[in-house]
Amino acid sequence: MVDFNRKIFRDIDWLLLLTPIALTVMGCVGIHSTAPGSEMKKQVIALGIGLVFAIVLMLNDYRKIIVNVAPFFYAAVMVMLILVLFVGKEINGNKAWLHIAGFSLQPSEFAKAATILMLSRHMAQPRIGSLSLKDMIIMGAITMPPVILIALEHDTGTMLTFGAILGAFYFLGGMRKVLVAAALAAVVVGLFAVYPHLKGYQKERIDVIIHPEKADPKGYAYQTIQSVIAVGSGGVLGKGVGQSTQGKLGFLPFAWTDFIAAVIAEEMGFAGILLMMVLYLIFIWRLVAVAVGARDRAGALMIMGFVALIGFHILCNLGMVVGIMPIMGIPLPLMSSGGTAVISMFIGVGLALSVRLRRFVN
């Protein structure tokens, strides 16, 4: 652990630390407008806890965390995921939360960070040539346990994010081009192959996007239609903070979770969405810049794992909000209501800042 002196203070990537804080605060504005009870208070508490994690991780050497801490973190998360199956708390049809000491934790959010750390640990050693089949199998074996346990929670959206993480590690780890092409083809074929075996509600959510003219506006199309109305009604400057109708009056159910961007669009308009996208671009830019300057392969891959995770969440969530992707239960990073997700994201920020502070080889 390093001392927090003036040199360290100057060397911190402040944009990398401040932009996720700004995004969380922006999300709190939308949560305050639409969520019942103490959701915003919980989000603020999660932001505070996340910042503590980020600072502690920043001051510690990420290489020791990857080598010494990651296996224990991964094991602890797996135990929590197993506990969820037996004593988990069900919210909106998903049994994905543990209720501990008055707080609800969603272990699947920590599982994303744990999996990224374990994949980085495996890829830490320099390699010559393409990624071997043995490496790919081991990386798949690291990813499968959380995927299986989360599948048993019936949380399809979270399960899909692990595919994005593993795909990013395969690609950046040096997977052969022919295998990349084969994997992309397999994904397309797999989507068509799995469709007949989906549950009824999952098919209906996809049909809402493919055949919107046939969708029941009072059925599974309801949330998508209300979201699109919220986005369109905001105009250029929005209706004003706290003045939304779709979100605040409840026409858009659970707007403070997966549809927080629709609330921002309705209350702050195109200007608010533009500000949000600029903040995300700055956040991702700084993460990529730190990864490029990392002193080793493990640090760079670890950060890019978080970039893949964040990028996948943003694309899927905004696609859901504007009605071009089916509803999958994928939240908007840092902005959607969810304390565990916010803390998990700041764990990634802290690790990236640790890489930044140790970028020079002694």
Side-chain angles (χ1 to χ4, degrees), residues 26-48:
M26 195 171 182
C28 284
V29 174
I31 294 169
H32 178 66
S33 295
T34 56
S38 57
E39 289 297 323
M40 195 195 76
K41 183 181 177 183
K42 292 177 182 175
Q43 196 81 344
V44 172
I45 292 172
L47 172 61

Side-chain angles (χ1 to χ4, degrees), residues 20 40 51 68 75 77 88 92 195 295 352:
M40 195 195 76
L51 280 172
N68 300 326
V77 171
N92 298 330
Y195 178 80
R295 63 186 291 170

Side-chain angles (χ1 to χ4, degrees), residues 337-349:
S337 178
T340 318
V342 169
I343 293 169
S344 182
M345 277 292 157
F346 274 95
I347 287 175
V349 171

Side-chain angles (χ1 to χ4, degrees), residues 152-176:
L152 293 174
E153 297 176 4
H154 307 296
D155 190 349
T156 307
T158 301
M159 194 174 65
L160 291 174
T161 61
F162 287 85
I165 294 170
L166 182 60
F169 271 89
Y170 276 165
F171 181 74
L172 296 171
M175 189 178 181
R176 285 185 291 173

